[in-house]
């Protein structure tokens, strides 16, 4: 069963809101990239200072 257009739009909006709220805990920059970790988990890296965290 596929999700409706409204549900897909809601999911995309929620993802965008989470990304917009991410900031580097080291320098506070909003320039954060989401990357896959070694074990398939999600990690983040600041493209401004290079700090990484999960």
């Amino acid at each position: 069963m596929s999700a409706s257009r409204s549900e897909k739009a809601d999911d995309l909006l929620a993802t965008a809101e989470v990304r917009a709220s991410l900031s580097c805990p080291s320098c506070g920059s909003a320039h954060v990239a989401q990357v896959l970790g070694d074990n398939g988990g999600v990690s983040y890296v600041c493209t401004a200072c290079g700090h990484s965290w999960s």
Side-chain angles (χ1 to χ4, degrees), residues 1-53:
M1 178 183 255
S2 64
S4 70
R5 282 187 170 198
S6 177
E7 289 171 336
K8 288 180 183 179
D10 289 345
D11 288 346
L12 288 173
L13 181 59
T15 300
E17 288 173 349
V18 167
R19 286 184 183 161
S21 68
L22 280 176
S23 62
C24 176
S26 182
C27 73
S29 173
H31 296 274
V32 175
Q34 182 177 345
V35 294
L36 289 177
D38 292 336
N39 296 324
V42 176
S43 296
Y44 304 93
V45 63
C46 176
T47 58
C49 74
H51 179 75
S52 61
W53 71 97

